[in-house]
Amino acid sequence: MPGKNLSRDEAQERARLIGVDGYEVHLDVTSAPDSTATTFRSTTTIRFRCAEPGAASFADLLAPAVRSVTLNGRPLDPATVFDGARIALDELAAENVLVVDADCAYSRTGEGLHRFTDPADGETYLYTHYEPAEARRVCTTFEQPDLKAPYVFTVTAPAAWDVYANSAEESVREEGDTKVWHFLPTRPISSYLTAVVAGPYHVARDHWSRELPDGTLLEIPLAATCRKSLARYFDADEIFTVTKQGLDFFHDEFDYPYPFGKYDQCFVPEYNLGAMENPGCVTFREEFVFRSKVTEAAYEGRANVILHEMAHMWFGDLVTPRWWDDLWLKESFADFMGAFSQQEATKYQAAWVTFANQRKAWAYKQDQYPTTHPITADIRDVEDAKLNFDGITYAKGAAVLKQLVAYAGRDAFFEGARRYFQRHAYGNTELADLLEVLAVTSGRGEQAMADWSAAWLQTAGVNSLTPELTVDAAGRITELAVLQDSGPEGAGGPLRPHRIAVGLYDREADGTLLRTARVELDVAGPRTVVEGLAGRPAPALVLVNDDDLTYCKLRFDAASLATLRTSLGEIREPLPRALAWSACWNLTRDGLMPARDYVALVLRFAGQESDIGVLQSLHTQAQGAVDLYADPAWRAEGGRLLAEGALHELRLAAPGSDHQLAWARFLAQTATSDEHLRLVEGLLAGSARIDGLEIDQDLRWSLWLALAAAGRATVAQLDAELRRDNTAGGHQKATQCLAARPTAEAKAAAWAAVVDSDELPNALVSAQTAGFAQAGQRELIAPYAPRYFGLLERIWAERSIEIAIRFVGGFFPRLQTDPETLAATDRWLAEHPEAAPALRRLVLECRDDLARALAAQHCDRA
């Protein structure tokens, strides 16, 4: 579609010409409950200035039809000025008024205005999601983040519905069987941050207040919503508790009053992300409304997301990156502040453990792809931007900010944030704007901050840090040094300055490993000596990034690695233990530790792991080690060992505990033998019982998936389970189970459902691809690999980017870990040099995963 992929150069030129004074948007969604209605009416009035009267520009709109376009009272022919993505605007005046009346499309992909009908009660729900550039699917906009303006929304909706937007409603009036909701003007915000949520949502309300330094009282009304059929599971009190703790924390630290009036949090169906920071109207995936028992890690994760989105009210909404190059200016900060505030302000005290074990694992993986990029990335267009919501922009950026706090000091960091907000409120910024304030508040000066930025923000890759321990004949330390390298062929980028803590660990009388010495130092260059340790007894374990202050891959000396093989579970404190687990996983991914050795570590020590989030990560990683990194000849044995270990730990776990639930889920993931599958069948039927284990609905679906993948669940049985759980979640799980069956017919049906039609909603596309690729069915799905490569460009061109991304990643033959599939991937890349850069990036990353798996398998065979 011409002009659909807005470029940075186009956005810069438009920003040079245009300044926007305000939007008035009227949406009529009264047709939404009618499933045959495909569009809604959208009328937009934009008041804007032009720096060069007489010049031409364009507005953005993705709509099936445009009824009329009027510029400064002059009617324009839609057939002439609208090409499906842009509205051409010529002969602009100094002051302009553009009015566009259009029919926009309801979405099933989670982009634009998404429509969902609840199978439980037939009710219809709407919500918007735009980032990075989908507001143009709902109204006419100048779709770029640096053209901020106030918005006034008016929404006509069915009378039984409630409507939420970024600002509070000014009036609601009834007109027959409809209501017209008119909302107050917003503060100046970017188009991608606007939001409308509409439907018969269940709502809970509360409020938060704070006396400001000038004596005025800041009152923030709070609301939390979910679908009516989820209301009985909705723990709004817990959500409000975390919300209030976050508001307390951010007001204390940022010293800038929350600027957007109310604070609504809407939990919505079929959401593509974890959440979105729309000011005053934050949207979350409704999976955060827990309808079955979940572990403490799930509540901790939800709290982190709540705080992450709240941090965005300042980092991202109040002050917004000028273009997507500086996306990190909001996402890295929100990721860091989510963990920081959670640790300091809530009951969830494992935030930095989770960050080290899970968020940084995402960053390490992304940063080792051939497509890696600096934290401040080169974003040419909005398709590039879509793919840069990744582990580098979020988790690596947050890890680097944690390093910055260690480098500059907490007080200096927060004082810099305060000055940044005051200086740039309601504006747009770039990297230099942040460095300018940090140079002053840190006391490090402009050159030091520029050097830090060049090393950490403007180069890609991850360094490795390894201890080099020299011991004398008496077993005492002669020298301890930290070696820094960038991996094979310098793939990790330049050697960087690191502020680290080195921890020495020794055995206590009870056999546990406890830190006995800690040295904090700056590491620079290939080798740095740790001072002050000569003459100490050699430790059992050296951790060179203790306390997880920097971003690096942690390696071990030979003696420390030997200690971990026998005693990893004996490390007493959870953070260093999580760091050790993370380091061993990186060794496995890098082909330096055989997959079967990593599996042995998990089988030996995971049962001792107290942190439930770490335990669940270990389960995922151990399964991945067997499925992808183990020698294929050992794969079946590895799977059998995992299933036996899961059953053993399940029987040992405390009844009703989080650990018991985690081991039950892991058993469902690994069960393949007749013995284990009969137990699964018994748990579902009620003929088998494990004391304290409740077989609730989510666990039932996990057990059904195991049976379906093994060919021991019929369509009739799965249909019966769906009748028992006729909900949105139930439909997604049933779809996955049907696709997981080990028959040619099941695979063909799953493939056709995604490929042959564009009617499937986003959540069910993901369910189909998840069910399609089962580790024990490699031969069954192998014939689809050539078809996949033949369809890539067509799918990318014809589908929305969200659905295209799901196809590319979901159907890539990742389980075909053989040289032939690698060669086929290379052949596609060689034969399609002109394919869309974003598509090539995704395929390159899949190719790298495949090559890494082959290298790890070679290590495991050896």
Side-chain angles (χ1 to χ4, degrees), residues 84 187 216 219 405 502 687 698 715 800:
R187 295 283 196 166
T216 61
E219 290 269 7
V405 173
V502 174
S687 57
D698 282 356
V715 173
S800 77

Side-chain angles (χ1 to χ4, degrees), residues 631-642:
D631 178 6
W634 186 77
R635 198 178 280 147
E637 174 67 7
R640 182 188 65 80
L641 290 171
L642 288 182

Side-chain angles (χ1 to χ4, degrees), residues 508-853:
E508 297 290 288
D510 61 1
T512 59
L513 288 165
L514 192 65
R515 187 168 69 192
T516 55
R518 179 185 185 275
V519 177
E520 194 166 317
L521 72 154
D522 291 319
V523 166
R527 190 175 190 274
T528 304
V529 174
V530 183
E531 303 291 348
L533 297 177
R536 289 183 59 92
L541 171 67
V542 179
L543 279 182
V544 295
N545 186 28
D546 210 358
D547 297 326
D548 198 33
L549 298 182
T550 195
Y551 173 79
C552 71
K553 286 197 289 188
L554 170 62
R555 303 301 200 200
F556 302 104
D557 63 287
S560 294
L561 188 56
T563 296
L564 292 177
R565 289 183 184 277
T566 62
S567 309
L568 191 158
E570 305 303 329
I571 301 174
R572 184 182 297 179
E573 296 300 321
L575 180 56
R577 195 169 62 246
L579 292 171
W581 279 120
S582 175
C584 290
W585 178 238
N586 279 323
L587 289 170
T588 305
R589 292 190 72 251
D590 290 347
L592 300 175
M593 175 181 282
R596 67 190 70 199
D597 288 7
Y598 182 79
V599 169
L601 283 173
V602 172
L603 290 172
R604 183 169 184 176
F605 298 118
Q608 300 171 234
E609 180 53 58
S610 61
D611 187 282
I612 189 63
V614 172
L615 176 62
Q616 291 173 289
S617 292
L618 295 178
H619 290 163
T620 300
Q621 291 164 356
Q623 186 73 65
V626 169
D627 290 345
L628 299 174
Y629 300 150
D631 178 6
W634 186 77
R635 198 178 280 147
E637 174 67 7
R640 182 188 65 80
L641 290 171
L642 288 182
E644 289 183 352
L647 181 56
H648 175 73
E649 295 295 344
L650 173 59
R651 287 171 169 156
L652 290 178
S657 66
D658 283 359
H659 285 65
Q660 183 188 55
L661 177 59
W663 285 110
R665 290 175 178 169
F666 193 46
L667 175 63
Q669 294 169 26
T670 56
T672 56
S673 70
D674 180 67
E675 174 193 356
H676 295 143
L677 290 169
R678 280 191 285 110
L679 174 60
V680 168
E681 290 169 333
L683 291 172
L684 275 170
S687 57
R689 186 173 178 275
I690 295 174
D691 187 31
L693 181 66
E694 179 186 355
I695 311 299
D696 58 24
Q697 189 58 64
D698 282 356
L699 185 53
R700 287 183 64 84
W701 280 120
S702 297
L703 298 172
W704 275 118
L705 180 60
L707 296 177
R712 295 171 71 142
T714 67
V715 173
Q717 287 174 312
L718 295 173
D719 286 346
E721 190 67 24
L722 180 57
R723 287 194 296 273
R724 172 192 176 112
D725 182 29
N726 185 29
T727 64
H731 279 262
Q732 292 166 29
K733 296 297 186 182
T735 298
Q736 183 180 359
C737 288
L738 289 168
R741 291 171 299 141
T743 67
E745 294 77 12
K747 301 309 171 188
W751 177 270
V754 176
V755 171
D756 294 349
S757 169
D758 198 15
E759 295 301 313
L760 209 61
N762 50 349
L764 293 185
V765 169
S766 294
Q768 293 282 12
T769 60
F772 181 87
Q774 297 296 309
Q777 301 170 7
R778 287 175 171 83
E779 292 184 4
L780 189 60
I781 60 178
Y784 287 89
R787 297 160 68 177
Y788 167 86
F789 288 113
L791 282 169
L792 278 174
E793 285 196 291
R794 195 197 95 192
I795 294 292
W796 191 264
E798 294 179 356
R799 304 297 175 86
S800 77
I801 192 168
E802 274 292 344
I803 300 303
I805 288 171
R806 282 167 165 78
F807 175 86
V808 176
F811 281 129
F812 181 82
R814 64 181 183 84
L815 294 172
Q816 311 304 321
T817 51
D818 52 57
E820 292 76 18
T821 306
L822 186 64
T825 310
D826 287 338
R827 190 161 52 249
W828 186 90
L829 289 164
E831 293 173 356
H832 297 81
E834 301 303 319
L839 171 58
R840 284 182 58 83
R841 171 178 168 170
L842 290 170
V843 176
L844 277 166
E845 292 175 355
C846 291
R847 189 258 180 218
D848 190 73
D849 286 338
L850 188 56
R852 182 178 290 273

Side-chain angles (χ1 to χ4, degrees), residues 222-252:
L222 308 178
T225 75
C226 70
R227 288 186 291 120
K228 288 196 298 185
S229 63
L230 290 175
R232 65 184 184 276
Y233 308 114
F234 197 38
D235 53 339
D237 288 347
E238 169 63 15
I239 290 166
F240 286 138
T241 294
V242 174
T243 301
K244 293 174 184 179
Q245 290 169 333
L247 288 168
D248 284 339
F249 176 85
F250 290 123
H251 279 86
D252 287 341

